[in-house]
Amino acid sequence: MLLKTFGWSFAITAAGFALAGVLWGWKGLALVAILSVLEISLSFDNAVINAGILRKMNAFWQKMFLTLGILIAVFGMRLVFPVVIVAITAKLGPIEAVDVAINDHHRYEQLVTSAHPAIAAFGGMFLLMIFLDFVFEDRDIRWLGPVERFLAKLGKVEGLSVIVSLVVLIIAATTVATSVPVHGGDGTIDKAATVLLAGVGGLVTYLVVGGISGFFEDRLEEDEDEAEESAPAEKKSGGSVVGLAGKAAFFMFLYLEVIDASFSFDGVIGAFAITNDIFVMALGLGIGAMYIRSLTVFLVRKGTLDDYVYLEHGAHYAIGTLALILLATIKYDVPEVVTGLIGVALIGLSFWSSVARNRKETAAGDGDGSRQEVASGV
């Protein structure tokens, strides 16, 4: 099971390390290894979130996530995306932007870093919406019982997630975004308008992609219920459920890719603390991204989220923290190790709570009353 799931990750790691050693020597090999570890540590919570979505998809789309998805993650987000950002923000042509990325590493780093406020606002708003929609939803299983019960009551207010996100965005735009330090120079610059525009873009992207995928998922569930009630009639209909499932899975796949993109922002920016060579960066972060995808599939196939029910809670709280950290990095430098450790700590605590809950259930037996007593982790 382990080798089957992580086999491609192991193979790509070996090939990537060998390529790094040939092209850049021992120094390049070390940089690629460090970047891989950085990406894994920053994105472990991403794997848990992805697993919660991926388990709803069939084997074909799970395979697409590991094949086409990894190409998008490595070449799209770690290689092409920063160059596109440079081209847009610096108003360069595509060829000139590629030339800067390859031949002028210092200027490339400056241009990508100067675009960080917009990137952080977009990704921060997208991730914040994921977190808020999770905590404002009423759930049967609660990790932080009293807190999550209170938030679920607040969540009955229509559109509260959007309202809170917009308030947070306005606060960020009028505080940290008004005096952003100039990279490589003295003084500050006002990025309030940029942050507002990018933040609204992240919010709209979440509402559109998440809304469409949720719509098709609900339709799919309705058709499945109808199929169970009248199986003969469904056979006569020509298999509309299969087509609808394909649409649902497609938009959920898009949703997954946008989530992955939002998680990768801090990794791409943080990688400049290690190297400004675009190819070393793409290779190292790409290897890390491959492990995150393999870990996602592993969690799905092992049913880990069903066995350790608070893992999703811990991952979502880590997402909420990451969203706020991304907004803070518009002005302040937050070490990547801090971001990574917070995520690992929250997921570790949720895992420990899940283990404790399982032990209580085992000790209490199968009685309904006993199960209700351990419904909350804290």
Side-chain angles (χ1 to χ4, degrees):
M1 174 68 177
L2 187 66
L3 184 60
K4 181 180 179 180
T5 306
F6 287 89
W8 277 106
S9 296
F10 296 151
I12 289 175
T13 300
F17 282 3
L19 181 62
V22 171
L23 295 178
W24 305 297
W26 287 107
K27 181 181 179 181
L29 175 59
L31 291 175
V32 168
I34 293 171
L35 287 167
S36 300
V37 174
L38 171 69
E39 178 68 13
I40 294 171
S41 63
L42 287 176
S43 301
F44 187 83
D45 45 356
N46 189 13
V48 178
I49 297 299
N50 286 351
I53 301 171
L54 196 66
R55 62 178 173 176
K56 302 175 184 178
M57 302 163 72
N58 60 26
F60 170 79
W61 283 102
Q62 290 182 9
K63 187 175 293 184
M64 288 291 287
F65 179 73
L66 270 178
T67 52
L68 178 60
I70 194 62
L71 291 176
I72 295 173
V74 176
F75 295 104
M77 288 309 303
R78 275 76 179 180
L79 192 63
V80 177
F81 172 75
V83 177
V84 172
I85 290 296
V86 166
I88 294 174
T89 57
K91 298 180 180 178
L92 302 176
I95 297 177
E96 186 178 0
V98 172
D99 180 66
V100 169
I102 296 175
N103 299 315
D104 193 346
H105 295 163
H106 180 67
R107 186 185 176 202
Y108 171 72
E109 178 184 351
Q110 287 184 319
L111 292 173
V112 174
T113 304
S114 67
H116 176 65
I119 297 171
F122 182 95
M125 283 299 101
F126 191 92
L127 295 177
L128 184 60
M129 282 296 297
I130 295 175
F131 166 70
L132 292 175
D133 274 353
F134 181 85
V135 297
F136 286 150
E137 183 179 343
D138 191 13
R139 299 178 179 277
D140 294 331
I141 296 176
R142 301 183 180 96
W143 182 29
L144 308 178
V147 175
E148 292 178 3
R149 272 192 294 271
F150 173 72
L151 291 173
K153 290 180 180 179
L154 290 180
K156 294 179 181 179
V157 177
E158 191 71 24
L160 184 61
S161 297
V162 176
I163 295 171
V164 173
S165 294
L166 287 174
V167 170
V168 171
L169 178 60
I170 292 171
I171 293 173
T174 55
T175 54
V176 293
T178 56
S179 56
V180 179
V182 177
H183 180 70
D186 298 327
T188 60
I189 187 172
D190 189 341
K191 290 278 188 177
T194 300
V195 167
L196 275 174
L197 183 61
V200 170
L203 182 60
V204 170
T205 300
Y206 173 84
L207 293 174
V208 171
V209 179
I212 293 175
S213 63
F215 169 76
F216 281 113
E217 185 182 358
D218 291 342
R219 287 286 302 275
L220 176 60
E221 290 177 356
E222 291 174 5
D223 278 33
E224 286 178 343
D225 291 339
E226 292 178 3
E228 290 177 0
E229 293 174 2
S230 55
E234 189 60 56
K235 289 180 181 179
K236 296 177 183 178
S237 67
S240 60
V241 175
V242 176
L244 189 58
K247 292 176 184 177
F250 172 72
F251 281 103
M252 289 176 71
F253 175 77
L254 291 183
Y255 182 53
L256 272 175
E257 292 306 312
V258 179
I259 290 177
D260 181 75
S262 300
F263 270 98
S264 69
F265 291 152
D266 60 332
V268 172
I269 298 297
F272 283 109
I274 299 169
T275 180
N276 55 16
D277 189 310
I278 185 173
F279 296 112
V280 174
M281 193 183 304
L283 183 58
L285 296 179
I287 290 174
M290 186 66 195
Y291 276 97
I292 294 301
R293 271 167 162 65
S294 296
L295 179 59
T296 298
V297 174
F298 180 79
L299 292 174
V300 172
R301 292 175 178 172
K302 289 287 289 184
T304 304
L305 299 185
D306 294 326
D307 295 334
Y308 304 98
V309 293
Y310 299 134
L311 274 180
E312 280 191 279
H313 295 72
H316 279 89
Y317 283 111
I319 281 181
T321 304
L322 175 58
L324 297 178
I325 289 176
L326 273 174
L327 295 175
T329 58
I330 292 172
K331 181 176 181 178
Y332 304 104
D333 289 329
V334 180
E336 287 71 32
V337 65
V338 173
T339 306
L341 287 176
I342 289 175
V344 171
L346 286 169
I347 291 177
L349 285 172
S350 63
F351 177 79
W352 178 83
S353 296
S354 299
V355 172
R357 175 186 186 273
N358 292 343
R359 288 175 178 171
K360 286 181 180 180
E361 283 201 330
T362 301
D366 296 328
D368 292 338
S370 299
R371 288 183 179 276
Q372 291 176 1
E373 291 178 2
V374 294
S376 295
V378 178

